[in-house]
Amino acid sequence: MWQVVILLILVLIVYLPLGGLVVKLLALPNLLDLLRELLSDPSLLSALKFTYTQALISALLSLLVGLPGAYFFSHYDFKGKKVIRNLTMIPFILPSILVVLAMIVFYGQQGIFSRVFGTGTFIYSLFGIIFAHVFYNFSLSIRIVGTTWEKLDRDLLESAYVLGDSPLETFFRVELPLLWPSIAYATLLSFLYSSLSFAIVLVFGGVSYNTLEVYIYTLVRRLKLDKAHLVAFLQLLISFFFIVATNRLSKRKDSVEQAFSVSHAIPLKYEKRQWIKVLMVIYFLALLLFFGGPLINLAVRSFLTRDGTFTLQNYVSLFSPKVTRLLGTPIWQVFLNSLLLSATSSAISVMLAYVLARYFSKFRPFFLLPLGVSMMSYGFGVLVTLKDWLPAPILMVFTQVFISFPMVYSIIALGFEEIDPEYHLAAAVLGSSETDIVRRIYFPLLKPSLNSAFAYGLALSLGDLSGVMLVGEGRFVTFTVALYRLIGHYSFPEGTALGTIVSLLFIVLFVLIESRGGKKHYA
Amino acid sequence: MLEVRNLQKNYPNFSVFVDFKLKKGEFFSLLGPSGCGKTTTLRLIAGLEKPDSGKILLSGEDITNLPPQKRKFGLVFQNYALFPHLSVSENILYGLSKESNEMKKERLEEMLELFKLTELKDRSIRRLSGGEQQRVALARSLATKPRLLLLDEPFAALDPSLRQSLREELKTLQDKLDLTIVFVTHNQEEALSLSDRVALMDKGRIVQVATPFEIYTKPKSDYAASFFGQVNFLELEVQDKKLKWGGTLIDIDLNEGIYRFAVRPEHLIEGKGVRGRIIRGSYLGFAVEYIVATSQGELRYLELNPHSVKCSGTEIELSLLQAIPVGKKS
């Protein structure tokens, strides 16, 4: 019975606000007028158009940048492969506002890249936005397509060779058709994430570029709440469509992978030709320069004065009254806020997910549904549904549970899947009680998954800007809000210092996630 | 027809060295435990691995450096490697993509009929049973009319009951199409029942090539003797062309000395010879296998057509029908 209560808590946190968003919208007295007005509003149309055009371009470019990596990782063994592969995954979990900061410091007007290559700055533009999205998403295609490619049965290719096909013909007749679902899935996922982008567009888009997320946020700030409500609903509808499509592709990808035989205990590795080695080095160096550069530069710059001499001043001045005034909160409070909020919400997500994965495994798709739902739509739902009933700190926790739950759930659910149900029976026959079984069987076996899930939940929650800004209404300052404000006030020295601290924190989280087997869950 | 001449492939801790010839229409098996190099040999013949030295000749033509695409061989993998995104017909037609439509149609019909796949022709590969998959895999490799058919453990993934009937089908097929086949297996029964000749492999080398009858009855080594079922190894004395077996003497064409012999359990029979006492008997249906303690050590003895199962402790005397010399002691 208590399990149902847990289910109801999840429904309250995740689904009630979404339902409330829809119900309250239908209750608006002037809905039709509002709709008519909105649909003829050029600003909405341009936001719509921009959101999905840039998402499409970002997704295709992410694929293009990721594919060579997917090929190299799946076909060749080389020294440091594991480390390099893990490094390429780091951008994906970093908070987007941190990526923004790193890009400004590297590619901006005063950035080292622009000075060395004389490019001037190009980031406050459509190109900058797309570049940041590619930075974010290219590792998705490396991981998703690379995994399928690696599993792809070498026997299939060799069969094609023996039947007379050249390697190129085999690529088009065998490999591509089998990789296709994974390629489409990775691309659609990048598309979905890019279309929901908030921080990157907020900073780089200026007044000219709006995604729907930014558009909704701006409407709320201007107190055009009815209009914001309608757009939030619209966004929910559209993303729902993409989520369904993504789930379908994900299933197709899985079924293709299952069709490959698992008999290849020793995967056949291809011999590296000289020119392949050269291409590989060029590719990874390019990734290091364009994507690693901003992050390395951020850390280095945090220890330098404007003249380039070593200093700790940037870190010290995080505690200065000037920064406190600028952030609206002392920096220690920012740390406390962030850690408290993310730890609480991630812990709640883990507990919910544990119970739901154990007792409601059939509802799995239902639990994973929020994975691609817009934070603005959900956040707005929280505001119209729960704001009068619950205090703001609790609502903040709700938004963070909303962000972390689906991923946390999928890690833990997979952990459960890997436990043979006969262990339970065996323990029961040996005389263990139900609580005994949980303590002695499930907990030890699930511990790696639980740890990994908790770390992932922390990372997702710490990286959130939109939920905190919308529901916290600017009074609750976390790392991401602080970074956003430092960028807004051009306080880059302190920004690099805080950014470096946050990066380190994320790298630690990343190591925790990876070492505990959470790597299957990027998709 | 196929000549594999001093073919060598080196790996860090392992090497394969093989040398054999195949006649047209022959069913030739490479037999050995896993890791003995039989699959590597097959892959070398297919062109999927490059040899470090040696030659492969096909009807006199040197094909050692010919890529697999140009060899025109058929190859069936252990797990069939059917293309999961294609239907049954599309799989069968895969190797004919450069042929005319008429040819394709004709070949497809021929193969569908030959392998009784007509009703399944539009089926997805994923919805086929193991036996059906194997038929499609064979059809796909034969549709191109290969000069040589290479089979890598094609029965390993199937139920034992299905294996028997598919084995017979393969044999019929070979006779019908006059196929030359190289067959890789670790199953001695399969090798014996299907092959014209068997090459027994161990640690990357061929230890004996012979007909099934010969390799079973005249193994040249302990390894070859014990590969085909249980065997007793005994050291026995030969004098004046006679083998001493307990109180009896058996004619044998060997010089004087002490030899090591392999004696199969079914080559012992109750009668005058060596006395012993039964330690244990296991009933196998068609036979009873006894472990008998004798002056020669513990012997395995198979009684065919048993009338009853003898109790442990029963006294018994065994005479020797046949002993295979596998080495000279002195």
Side-chain angles (χ1 to χ4, degrees):
Chain A
M1 207 49 229
W2 60 275
Q3 296 96 330
V4 177
V5 175
I6 299 288
L7 182 63
L8 286 177
I9 292 176
L10 181 82
V11 170
L12 166 75
I13 297 178
V14 174
Y15 296 96
L16 192 72
L18 293 176
L21 178 78
V22 180
V23 172
K24 290 263 183 166
L25 181 83
L26 297 176
L28 285 179
N30 50 348
L31 181 61
L32 281 179
D33 295 334
L34 208 61
L35 191 65
R36 206 171 302 133
E37 190 195 326
L38 189 71
L39 286 180
S40 55
D41 186 339
S43 68
L44 172 73
L45 291 179
S46 80
L48 262 175
K49 211 174 115 194
F50 175 75
T51 303
Y52 296 109
T53 329
Q54 65 81 15
L56 184 68
I57 302 171
S58 302
L60 292 177
L61 284 177
S62 301
L63 178 72
L64 215 63
V65 173
L67 272 188
Y71 175 80
F72 294 139
F73 283 129
S74 58
H75 283 65
Y76 304 103
D77 264 335
F78 45 90
K79 257 191 200 149
K81 175 171 168 173
K82 227 174 142 186
V83 175
I84 297 175
R85 197 202 292 241
N86 280 339
L87 285 177
T88 61
M89 299 302 150
I90 287 182
F92 184 69
I93 65 152
L94 289 179
S96 43
I97 193 70
L98 183 70
V99 172
V100 166
L101 174 70
M103 276 182 65
I104 294 175
V105 179
F106 191 63
Y107 294 114
Q109 209 76 59
Q110 303 299 316
I112 182 155
F113 185 89
S114 354
R115 276 186 287 154
V116 171
F117 293 95
T119 52
T121 185
F122 55 84
I123 48 176
Y124 295 96
S125 65
L126 177 62
F127 182 76
I129 291 170
I130 289 169
F131 190 95
H133 289 161
V134 173
F135 183 108
Y136 229 71
N137 289 321
F138 80 95
S139 62
L140 277 177
S141 10
I142 291 193
R143 194 149 259 192
I144 295 171
V145 180
T147 306
T148 312
W149 221 338
E150 198 164 23
K151 284 186 193 166
L152 199 141
D153 211 326
R154 302 285 187 262
D155 287 359
L156 291 176
L157 309 184
E158 292 183 340
S159 289
Y161 299 159
V162 173
L163 289 166
D165 268 3
S166 70
L168 193 69
E169 286 168 315
T170 307
F171 177 77
F172 284 108
R173 293 182 69 198
V174 179
E175 275 177 279
L176 202 56
L178 290 171
L179 288 177
W180 191 244
S182 300
I183 292 174
Y185 175 60
T187 312
L188 190 60
L189 217 55
S190 307
F191 175 84
L192 192 62
Y193 290 151
S194 304
S195 76
L196 297 174
S197 173
F198 176 70
I200 290 164
V201 183
L202 191 65
V203 178
F204 290 160
V207 283
S208 20
Y209 298 117
N210 266 341
T211 49
L212 287 175
E213 291 290 274
V214 176
Y215 188 64
I216 295 168
Y217 178 70
T218 318
L219 287 174
V220 175
R221 290 274 306 264
R222 292 194 201 135
L223 296 174
K224 292 187 176 170
L225 294 182
D226 285 353
K227 203 170 163 188
H229 197 154
L230 203 56
V231 181
F233 173 71
L234 193 68
Q235 163 98 310
L236 185 65
L237 270 188
I238 299 174
S239 56
F240 186 74
F241 170 78
F242 287 125
I243 291 167
V244 172
T246 315
N247 282 343
R248 285 210 174 161
L249 276 174
S250 159
K251 275 193 199 120
R252 272 201 51 197
K253 168 187 92 83
D254 290 345
S255 82
V256 167
E257 283 182 4
Q258 273 157 21
F260 301 147
S261 77
V262 282
S263 69
H264 257 310
I266 312 149
L268 300 167
K269 286 292 171 194
Y270 294 86
E271 283 167 43
K272 280 186 294 257
R273 302 233 175 79
Q274 203 57 41
W275 61 272
I276 289 272
K277 283 186 197 165
V278 172
L279 281 183
M280 223 152 80
V281 169
I282 292 175
Y283 175 76
F284 288 122
L285 282 180
L287 287 189
L288 183 68
L289 171 65
F290 288 109
F291 298 150
L295 295 172
I296 297 164
N297 178 55
L298 183 78
V300 173
R301 278 285 292 272
S302 72
F303 293 105
L304 297 180
T305 61
R306 268 181 212 287
D307 316 323
T309 51
F310 176 81
T311 179
L312 288 174
Q313 187 53 41
N314 299 335
Y315 288 89
V316 174
S317 71
L318 278 176
F319 295 90
S320 67
K322 181 196 125 197
V323 170
T324 304
R325 202 173 338 108
L326 203 148
L327 299 180
T329 313
I331 193 76
W332 63 266
Q333 180 80 45
V334 172
F335 275 77
L336 199 66
N337 284 349
S338 290
L339 296 176
L340 217 57
L341 178 65
S342 57
T344 316
S345 50
S346 185
I348 293 176
S349 285
V350 169
M351 285 188 271
L352 290 175
Y354 174 85
V355 175
L356 298 174
R358 169 100 197 267
Y359 297 101
F360 298 96
S361 55
K362 282 190 191 115
F363 294 179
R364 186 182 184 144
F366 174 74
F367 296 139
L368 293 176
L369 203 63
L371 209 53
V373 168
S374 131
M375 186 66 217
M376 281 296 157
S377 301
Y378 170 80
F380 199 86
V382 168
L383 291 182
V384 296
T385 316
L386 298 170
K387 201 183 169 206
D388 299 337
W389 305 91
L390 292 167
I394 293 190
L395 296 184
M396 299 284 297
V397 171
F398 278 25
T399 60
Q400 304 308 300
V401 171
F402 173 80
I403 289 176
S404 56
F405 176 78
M407 202 59 99
V408 165
Y409 171 82
S410 98
I411 295 175
I412 293 178
L414 200 95
F416 267 111
E417 265 173 35
E418 284 166 358
I419 297 178
D420 191 332
E422 288 189 351
Y423 294 159
H424 189 136
L425 298 178
V429 171
L430 289 169
S432 280
S433 69
E434 189 65 23
T435 46
D436 216 30
I437 291 172
V438 169
R439 194 171 57 81
R440 290 171 61 193
I441 307 285
Y442 283 110
F443 249 77
L445 287 173
L446 273 179
K447 213 174 150 204
S449 305
L450 293 174
N451 285 330
S452 167
F454 182 69
Y456 212 132
L458 276 183
L460 286 168
S461 170
L462 283 173
D464 170 57
L465 178 66
S466 43
V468 182
M469 295 242 291
L470 184 71
V471 178
E473 293 175 334
R475 286 192 292 275
F476 193 81
V477 183
T478 60
F479 286 140
T480 47
V481 177
L483 284 172
Y484 177 61
R485 292 204 173 143
L486 290 173
I487 294 170
H489 289 89
Y490 301 101
S491 298
F492 293 119
E494 293 82 4
T496 56
L498 184 59
T500 305
I501 296 172
V502 175
S503 304
L504 275 179
L505 186 64
F506 269 82
I507 287 168
V508 171
L509 286 176
F510 180 74
V511 171
L512 282 178
I513 296 168
E514 282 292 304
S515 64
R516 313 289 180 154
K519 62 185 70 154
K520 296 158 197 154
H521 303 280
Y522 287 92
Chain B
M1 183 216 182
L2 180 79
E3 195 179 338
V4 173
R5 221 186 259 171
N6 298 330
L7 204 61
Q8 179 145 11
K9 174 81 184 169
N10 298 317
Y11 294 99
N13 304 311
F14 184 66
S15 75
V16 172
F17 179 84
V18 286
D19 185 279
F20 57 87
K21 275 184 196 170
L22 234 73
K23 287 190 280 289
K24 189 164 169 28
E26 193 173 18
F27 196 118
F28 187 83
S29 289
L30 295 167
L31 174 69
S34 61
C36 72
K38 56 193 191 304
T39 295
T40 304
T41 306
L42 195 79
R43 293 173 59 83
L44 284 165
I45 298 172
L48 295 170
E49 304 281 349
K50 275 205 180 355
D52 292 309
S53 63
K55 274 196 170 129
I56 305 173
L57 305 174
L58 187 78
S59 315
E61 175 201 356
D62 185 350
I63 60 162
T64 317
N65 294 315
L66 211 60
Q69 285 84 354
K70 303 244 166 82
R71 295 197 181 191
K72 296 198 180 112
F73 289 174
L75 172 59
V76 175
F77 283 98
Q78 183 170 354
N79 37 52
Y80 316 129
L82 296 172
F83 303 119
H85 58 299
L86 302 179
S87 70
V88 169
S89 322
E90 287 166 330
N91 263 284
I92 295 174
L93 285 173
Y94 191 91
L96 298 168
S97 57
K98 285 146 202 150
E99 306 292 342
S100 71
N101 282 339
E102 255 166 65
M103 160 88 110
K104 281 188 205 164
K105 207 177 149 212
E106 187 188 307
R107 260 326 145 68
L108 178 64
E109 257 161 43
E110 190 185 333
M111 288 299 139
L112 288 173
E113 199 172 316
L114 186 63
F115 290 95
K116 303 184 192 75
L117 288 166
T118 312
E119 275 166 31
L120 301 176
K121 68 180 159 76
D122 298 319
R123 230 356 129 81
S124 146
I125 290 304
R126 288 171 224 193
R127 290 177 49 239
L128 295 181
S129 70
E132 288 163 351
Q133 287 187 28
Q134 200 223 30
R135 270 147 58 200
V136 177
L138 271 172
R140 182 178 71 181
S141 56
L142 290 178
T144 55
K145 306 258 167 186
R147 304 189 278 185
L148 182 68
L149 182 61
L150 308 171
L151 304 173
D152 187 4
E153 306 252 11
F155 301 115
L158 298 171
D159 286 334
S161 58
L162 199 57
R163 272 185 219 173
Q164 186 66 40
S165 62
L166 286 174
R167 229 187 268 170
E168 279 154 28
E169 274 179 36
L170 179 62
K171 203 64 196 158
T172 318
L173 190 74
Q174 193 213 356
D175 290 343
K176 202 157 150 191
L177 303 180
D178 192 25
L179 299 170
T180 312
I181 295 179
V182 180
F183 180 84
V184 160
T185 183
H186 67 271
N187 183 321
Q188 24 102 7
E189 198 186 315
E190 254 172 41
L192 292 179
S193 65
L194 285 167
S195 318
D196 296 316
R197 277 187 309 149
V198 178
L200 184 66
M201 291 189 71
D202 183 30
K203 295 177 192 136
R205 306 285 183 276
I206 293 179
V207 295
Q208 191 173 359
V209 184
T211 62
F213 183 77
E214 215 177 25
I215 205 163
Y216 188 82
T217 52
K218 289 178 189 152
K220 281 187 185 157
S221 58
D222 283 19
Y223 174 78
S226 55
F227 198 83
F228 298 91
Q230 299 286 357
V231 68
N232 300 300
F233 286 108
L234 301 169
E235 276 167 23
L236 299 170
E237 203 183 337
V238 177
Q239 256 179 355
D240 301 333
K241 306 265 172 197
K242 302 267 191 224
L243 170 65
K244 262 181 80 177
W245 176 252
T248 59
L249 292 171
I250 301 162
D251 290 337
I252 196 155
D253 191 17
L254 286 173
N255 296 328
E256 210 145 299
I258 296 175
Y259 290 83
R260 190 168 161 75
F261 288 93
V263 175
R264 297 204 182 276
E266 70 269 26
H267 291 155
L268 292 169
I269 192 167
E270 271 197 81
K272 279 215 153 316
V274 171
R275 286 176 179 282
R277 177 185 303 197
I278 290 173
I279 298 175
R280 175 169 72 246
S282 328
Y283 184 57
L284 305 175
F286 70 101
V288 184
E289 189 189 50
Y290 293 105
I291 309 288
V292 183
T294 67
S295 56
Q296 300 287 344
E298 285 185 8
L299 294 181
R300 242 170 233 280
Y301 153 56
L302 201 67
E303 186 189 8
L304 298 165
N305 300 316
H307 300 294
S308 64
V309 181
K310 296 181 182 67
C311 304
S312 310
T314 311
E315 297 283 340
I316 191 171
E317 191 171 353
L318 296 172
S319 78
L320 183 63
L321 290 178
Q322 194 182 337
I324 307 149
V326 287
K328 190 170 178 181
K329 231 4 203 192
S330 65

